[in-house]
């Protein structure tokens, strides 16, 4: 058990608050630069070479190491009550384990049951988390039912409680699942509030039917979990969610994309929305999906198989992990979360005779960074900049805490990892820091180990020794209207307005992308065509992988800052050709 944090009065703070990381390779999403980072009072104060530093500063030698932004895990469920059990990693153990692995912020989910207040659920999570978290955290809130009260509470959460994202479920029938018209209402409300809609995309009605059939046929083991959730059932829901979000022009973030068909649908939706300037779609996959697969459900040990039960399930196709990894590398998918939702083997045993009663969830909050490094960077599929994008920066941008988080720049929080790319470790439940008694990555050797993990300026992993402090973390509000996300929505609306008044030709910027967009009755039907030489890369998209310019640096008093100056409005609208052929109409299109 660690000691709770003691606040040191400002006048007593001294050299312990000053830290210099020297001679490292400093990585941001668009640069790797040799240099030093100077930290004072939890904030990065200088980045560069030959820095002038006060005496008594602690020096960390990062020669031969990468200095990367601390990981942001956008998807955890610490101490969640779900399927009749409470997950065993609480906010203390879960965040301590996160830090051990190089993650310095998590975003968890406050999920009300149907009929429960969103606000009260949020407050309950805050009360529990605030005193336990070792690193910073944010909260997504679940919308699991719909009413005027829910509508109002969404606004209160956005305006007064630092929430900018709401998770909806198309699965877990009768528990969390919403129907299409409810999804429409929630997405529309998210759009009104400047929030991001998150969706768990699986067709819950089909799953419930198939589960009944399987149980009736005597299939009760963990393989039934996978059989009841065939891949098209995930893909169908991804497509449906994208269509619904598109109808209300709401930015959509699809959580835990687990299969090739679902990823294909997501990528198609992204291409269409970015080609046409419509509301954006983002995709997250899970570290479990990059390193494991569905053959685990047929393991001879029931406990082993049950420990892998997660929804959507691990894919039966052993090549899926490879595809998801490549999509992450190529920006088909944007983030990797853990969906850490850990139940002990005893808890998993609740489903010994009925796979539908196995609490769903796996570990990953501790090992996410190392596993992505091993599978992605060490294997040569992605470079270190993309590693930073998918494990940290993209989450910071989407959830509007960039560049306070997700980058190494003057004014950013000093959430930093000194990453040793050569050192190795072998993952095991015997040595991990999580409370759960199983590790789905057991035995995996990972190159890439966090040597130092600095959380808000405090060294919480020190030469590999974990020194996390209970209660040291804080709740980080996520403000609405993420510039990165809503910039695209704004342009979608401008374009729709132009189309509605039948402007014959509008020259719009989408980098080199050339499109033919047919217009009918004021609505856009899409037939994206790429110019021969042109990769799809809208201007705002570029901001996802760009580093803050000095112009865009944070005012130290601000919790977030705007990148809008970096995106010139006229530049943005310079090369979509909109055609409005008389009576013309595009035949194909995603929506
Ligand atoms: O199996 C899972 N994914 N458990 C956590 C709840 C959820 O759906 O994210
Ligand atoms: Zn989910
Ligand atoms: Zn989840």
């Amino acid at each position: 058990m660690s000691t709770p944090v003691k606040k040191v009065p400002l006048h007593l703070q001294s050299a312990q608050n000053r830290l210099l990381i020297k001679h490292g390779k400093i990585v941001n999403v668009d640069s790797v630069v040799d240099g030093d980072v100077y930290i004072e009072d939890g904030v990065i104060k200088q980045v560069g070479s030959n820095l002038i530093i006060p005496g008594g500063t602690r020096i960390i030698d990062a020669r031969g190491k990468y200095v990367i932004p601390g990981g942001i895990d956008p998807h955890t469920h610490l101490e969640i009550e779900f399927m009749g059990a409470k997950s065993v990693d609480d906010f203390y153990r879960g965040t301590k384990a996160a830090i051990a692995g190089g993650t310095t912020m998590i975003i968890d989910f406050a999920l009300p049951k149907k009929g429960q207040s969103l606000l009260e659920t949020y407050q309950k999570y805050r009360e529990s988390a605030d005193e336990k978290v070792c690193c910073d955290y944010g909260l997504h809130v679940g919308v699991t039912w719909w009413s005027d009260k829910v509508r109002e509470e969404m606004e209160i959460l956005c305006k007064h409680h630092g929430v900018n994202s709401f998770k909806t479920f198309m699965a877990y029938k009768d528990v969390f699942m919403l129907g299409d018209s409810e999804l429409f209402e929630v997405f529309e409300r998210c759009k009104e509030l400047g929030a991001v809609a998150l969706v768990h995309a699986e067709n819950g009605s089909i799953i419930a039917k198939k589960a009944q059939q399987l149980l009736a046929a005597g299939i009760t083991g963990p393989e039934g979990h996978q059989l009841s959730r065939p891949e098209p059932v995930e893909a169908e829901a991804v497509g449906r969610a994208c269509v619904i979000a598109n109808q209300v022009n709401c930015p959509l973030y699809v959580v835990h994309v687990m299969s090739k068909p679902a990823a294909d649908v997501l990528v198609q939706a992204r291409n269409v929305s970015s080609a046409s300037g419509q509301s954006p779609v983002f995709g997250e996959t899970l570290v479990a999906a990059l390193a494991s697969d569905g053959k685990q459900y047929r393991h001879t040990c029931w406990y082993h198989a049950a420990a892998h039960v997660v929804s959507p399930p691990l894919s039966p196709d052993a090549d899926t992990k490879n595809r998801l990894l490549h999509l992450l590398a190529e920006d088909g998918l944007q983030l990797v979360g853990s969906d850490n939702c850990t139940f002990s083997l005893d808890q998993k045993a609740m489903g010994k005779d009925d796979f539908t009663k196995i609490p769903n969830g796996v570990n990953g909050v501790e090992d996410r960074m190392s596993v992505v490094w091993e599978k992605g960077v060490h294997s040569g599929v992605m470079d270190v900049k993309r590693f930073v994008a998918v494990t940290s920066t993209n989450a910071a941008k989407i959830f509007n805490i960039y560049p306070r988080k997700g980058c190494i720049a003057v004014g950013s929080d000093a959430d930093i990892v000194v990453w040793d790319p050569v050192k190795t470790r072998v993952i095991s439940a015997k040595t991990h820091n999580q409370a759960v008694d199983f590790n789905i990555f057991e035995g995996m050797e990972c190159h890439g180990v966090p040597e130092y993990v600095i959380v808000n300026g405090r060294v919480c992993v020190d030469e590999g020794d974990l020194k996390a402090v209970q209660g040291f973390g804080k709740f980080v509000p996520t403000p609405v209207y993420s510039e990165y996300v809503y910039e695209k929505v704004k342009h979608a609306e401008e374009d729709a307005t132009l189309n509605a008044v039948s402007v014959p030709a509008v020259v719009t910027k989408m980098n080199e992308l050339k499109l033919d967009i047919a217009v009918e009755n004021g609505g856009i039907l899409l037939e994206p065509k790429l110019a021969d030489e042109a990769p799809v890369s809208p201007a705002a998209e570029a901001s996802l992988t760009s580093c803050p310019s000095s112009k865009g640096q944070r005012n130290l008093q601000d919790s977030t800052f705007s990148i809008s100056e970096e995106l010139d409005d006229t530049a943005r609208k310079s090369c979509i050709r909109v055609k409005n052929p008389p009576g013309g109409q595009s035949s194909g299109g995603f929506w």
Side-chain angles (χ1 to χ4, degrees):
M1 191 66 186
S2 86
T3 2
V5 66
K6 241 202 258 146
K7 307 273 178 216
V8 182
L10 216 55
H11 68 284
L12 294 178
Q13 291 179 10
S14 62
Q16 64 178 336
N17 298 312
R18 298 192 203 118
L19 206 54
L20 178 66
I21 305 170
K22 266 187 94 98
H23 304 310
K25 289 201 175 303
I26 303 166
V27 187
N28 279 302
V29 286
D30 69 349
S31 63
V32 182
V33 178
D34 290 328
D36 307 338
V37 180
Y38 175 64
I39 296 160
E40 211 177 271
D41 298 332
V43 173
I44 298 174
K45 292 286 165 102
Q46 298 183 60
V47 180
S49 304
N50 305 316
L51 306 179
I52 297 166
I53 302 301
T57 297
R58 177 174 175 192
I59 296 176
I60 289 176
D61 187 353
R63 217 175 293 258
K65 319 260 162 70
Y66 290 108
V67 179
I68 59 176
I72 300 173
D73 189 337
H75 192 152
T76 63
H77 301 276
L78 304 179
E79 57 191 76
I80 186 183
E81 285 171 40
F82 181 48
M83 297 185 71
K86 186 168 187 175
S87 61
V88 291
D89 280 297
D90 68 2
F91 280 102
Y92 168 60
R93 288 296 290 269
T95 54
K96 183 177 171 184
I99 291 170
T103 288
T104 55
M105 177 170 176
I106 60 157
I107 314 184
D108 208 90
F109 291 81
L111 298 180
K113 295 193 170 55
K114 281 189 189 289
Q116 283 183 347
S117 155
L118 275 60
L119 205 51
E120 283 167 22
T121 307
Y122 163 89
Q123 270 148 357
K124 199 174 123 214
Y125 268 77
R126 285 292 309 271
E127 272 160 33
S128 187
D130 280 352
E131 58 180 34
K132 292 186 193 157
V133 285
C134 304
C135 66
D136 286 355
Y137 79 105
L139 283 175
H140 312 289
V141 174
V143 182
T144 56
W145 60 296
W146 187 247
S147 71
D148 285 346
K149 181 175 173 205
V150 171
R151 217 183 126 71
E152 263 166 48
E153 290 194 335
M154 285 174 73
E155 182 169 13
I156 296 168
L157 286 162
C158 286
K159 291 206 167 137
H160 306 294
H161 297 282
V163 172
N164 75 0
S165 48
F166 294 93
K167 183 175 179 187
T168 55
F169 293 84
M170 299 168 87
Y172 308 128
K173 193 165 184 282
D174 302 327
V175 182
F176 290 150
M177 184 172 126
L178 298 180
D180 290 354
S181 53
E182 292 167 319
L183 290 169
F184 189 101
E185 300 274 9
V186 181
F187 293 174
E188 191 172 48
R189 188 63 170 149
C190 284
K191 163 69 194 325
E192 282 166 11
L193 295 168
V196 181
L198 272 50
V199 68
H200 174 137
E202 284 185 296
N203 186 319
S205 303
I206 294 182
I207 291 166
K209 277 280 172 206
K210 288 198 76 79
Q212 272 174 8
Q213 285 175 350
L214 287 158
L215 290 170
I219 298 170
T220 58
E223 74 279 14
H225 177 72
Q226 186 189 61
L227 294 170
S228 66
R229 305 174 109 99
E231 294 186 332
V233 164
E234 184 189 5
E236 180 276 329
V238 171
R240 186 157 39 101
C242 290
V243 169
I244 298 171
N246 181 261
Q247 297 310 304
V248 294
N249 209 11
C250 175
L252 185 69
Y253 176 117
V254 183
V255 299
H256 47 46
V257 175
M258 299 292 272
S259 66
K260 284 184 193 173
D264 288 347
V265 173
L266 182 109
V267 169
Q268 193 197 352
R270 271 180 64 73
N271 286 342
V272 171
S273 78
S274 93
S276 62
Q278 296 188 25
S279 54
V281 179
F282 304 102
E284 166 205 275
T285 191
L286 300 187
V287 61
L290 301 177
S292 191
D293 60 51
K295 76 170 179 294
Q296 308 300 339
Y297 298 125
R298 284 168 180 77
H299 198 278
T300 49
C301 169
W302 187 92
Y303 287 99
H304 180 106
H308 289 80
V309 166
V310 58
S311 294
L314 296 167
S315 169
D317 175 352
D319 183 50
T320 298
K321 44 176 121 49
N322 204 26
R323 169 77 79 81
L324 295 174
L325 188 68
H326 278 85
L327 285 174
L328 259 186
E330 293 152 13
D331 202 33
L333 294 163
Q334 289 63 55
L335 319 86
V336 54
S338 68
D339 199 0
N340 194 93
C341 183
T342 43
F343 297 103
S344 68
L345 294 178
D346 277 353
Q347 290 172 316
K348 290 270 181 183
M350 286 165 36
K352 201 85 198 323
D353 304 317
D354 176 350
F355 64 85
T356 65
K357 298 197 166 70
I358 301 170
N360 289 196
V362 292
N363 64 287
V365 74
E366 180 164 354
D367 300 318
R368 184 182 68 113
M369 301 284 280
S370 283
V371 171
V372 178
W373 184 276
E374 179 68 19
K375 299 287 178 190
V377 185
H378 187 71
S379 70
V381 175
M382 67 177 73
D383 67 13
V384 60
K385 293 180 287 185
R386 185 66 191 167
F387 173 79
V388 163
V390 301
T391 58
S392 178
T393 313
N394 290 352
K397 287 184 172 177
I398 292 169
F399 298 111
N400 207 9
I401 46 174
Y402 180 86
R404 172 177 174 183
K405 305 282 188 191
C407 73
I408 304 220
V410 174
S412 297
D413 285 356
D415 286 349
I416 297 176
V417 178
V418 177
W419 189 265
D420 187 336
V422 176
K423 218 177 194 162
T424 61
R425 73 183 180 99
V426 176
I427 297 176
S428 175
K430 293 193 187 76
T431 49
H432 72 199
N433 294 282
Q434 300 200 219
V436 68
D437 50 0
F438 190 90
N439 192 315
I440 60 164
F441 310 110
E442 185 74 32
M444 188 176 155
E445 184 181 51
C446 292
H447 298 77
V449 171
E451 178 96 335
Y452 297 91
V453 180
I454 295 152
V455 180
N456 280 311
R458 182 180 198 119
V459 183
C460 289
V461 173
D462 199 340
E463 275 189 80
D465 287 344
L466 182 57
K467 298 174 173 172
V469 179
Q470 182 168 346
F472 181 67
K474 308 176 298 305
F475 175 74
V476 174
T478 51
V480 291
Y481 286 110
S482 155
E483 182 78 21
Y484 172 68
V485 172
Y486 269 86
E487 193 55 29
K488 297 174 187 181
V489 176
K490 195 174 95 198
H491 286 283
E493 286 180 347
E494 284 169 6
D495 291 346
T497 310
L498 289 170
N499 289 322
V501 295
S502 298
V503 174
V506 178
V507 185
T508 312
K509 159 82 177 174
M510 262 192 166
N511 287 0
E512 304 89 344
L513 177 68
K514 308 268 197 307
L515 293 176
D516 284 344
I517 297 177
V519 178
E520 186 199 28
N521 297 332
I524 305 171
L525 291 165
L526 304 170
E527 222 173 73
K529 257 192 233 151
L530 304 186
D532 295 338
E533 72 292 352
V536 181
S537 179
E541 191 74 12
S543 81
L544 188 64
T545 49
S546 72
C547 190
S549 69
S550 54
K551 194 172 146 203
Q553 288 305 306
R554 175 173 80 158
N555 172 323
L556 296 188
Q557 271 77 49
D558 291 343
S559 61
T560 60
F561 81 154
S562 164
I563 54 170
S564 58
E565 303 100 312
E566 294 183 65
L567 301 171
D568 179 320
D569 218 51
T570 42
R572 206 183 267 113
K573 301 195 127 258
S574 69
C575 75
I576 292 181
R577 283 183 290 115
V578 178
K579 267 206 258 166
N580 189 12
Q585 172 189 337
S586 156
S587 48
F590 184 82
W591 311 119

